[in-house]
Amino acid sequence: MIEGKYQIGQAAEAVGLSLRTIRHYEEVGLVPPSGRSAGGFRLYTDDDVERLRLVKQMKPLDFTLEEMRELLELRDRLAAGAGGRGHGGLVERLELFVAAAERRCERLRDQLDAAPSMAQTLRREARRYRPPGRRWGWAWRPDPAGR
């Protein structure tokens, strides 16, 4: 790692994304690298890595690429000190994203709450159709104890 800079593989490992995903985010303009090495390798700063983390967190909440782009631009403008009369409007837009994220988290919690019931239904069906003398597993295998 060059001081304060990550090559794409290091950034991918730090965030838990694939190289392909990071390249895609660059192509669509979400998280372009801050620079290139003398050899042409993408270089990401700590701020870039944090942007990648934020995008990764937005993905399970079903934010579209356009929504992600809008939120990143909004954060950039707020961080740059976009003041004046427009500042209040930026904060209001950020609060809309907060509300959307909270609604989407609640929806995910509801789905997760329903998941055990689904698994239980499938277990009942599997027991009903499982051949006698067979145990649970990825493949039907006879029970060595004969149960």
Side-chain angles (χ1 to χ4, degrees):
M1 176 173 84
I2 300 171
E3 186 64 33
K5 303 276 184 171
Y6 303 82
Q7 288 188 7
I8 190 169
Q10 296 163 320
E13 187 174 326
V15 178
L17 292 171
S18 70
L19 300 177
R20 183 177 179 188
T21 298
I22 292 177
R23 286 186 193 109
H24 175 69
Y25 290 156
E26 175 188 0
E27 289 170 11
V28 298
L30 283 181
V31 187
S34 288
R36 298 258 180 184
S37 71
F41 294 103
R42 293 167 176 86
L43 294 176
Y44 295 87
T45 63
D46 290 330
D47 288 341
D48 296 333
V49 170
E50 285 307 310
R51 287 173 76 87
L52 287 167
R53 279 193 183 101
L54 179 61
V55 169
K56 181 181 177 185
Q57 292 168 343
M58 294 172 75
K59 194 73 174 136
L61 297 178
D62 288 333
F63 281 97
T64 65
L65 290 175
E66 187 53 42
E67 289 170 325
M68 291 178 190
R69 184 177 297 107
E70 183 181 348
L71 178 57
L72 291 170
E73 289 171 2
L74 175 62
R75 292 176 77 238
D76 289 345
R77 290 181 61 195
L78 285 167
R85 291 193 283 188
H87 183 77
L90 296 176
V91 172
E92 287 177 11
R93 285 178 47 209
L94 182 59
E95 289 170 347
L96 291 173
F97 276 101
V98 170
E102 289 172 347
R103 281 191 310 274
R104 293 170 187 200
C105 284
E106 185 61 32
R107 187 178 65 225
L108 284 174
R109 278 190 287 276
D110 290 345
Q111 291 172 351
L112 201 52
D113 287 346
S117 174
M118 168 63 169
Q120 181 63 33
T121 298
L122 293 175
R123 273 194 295 279
R124 278 194 304 272
E125 284 188 25
R127 283 187 192 114
R128 189 166 114 205
Y129 296 112
R130 182 177 59 224
R134 303 289 177 140
R135 296 185 63 175
W136 290 108
W138 293 106
W140 294 117
R141 292 171 275 162
D143 183 346
R147 287 180 255 159

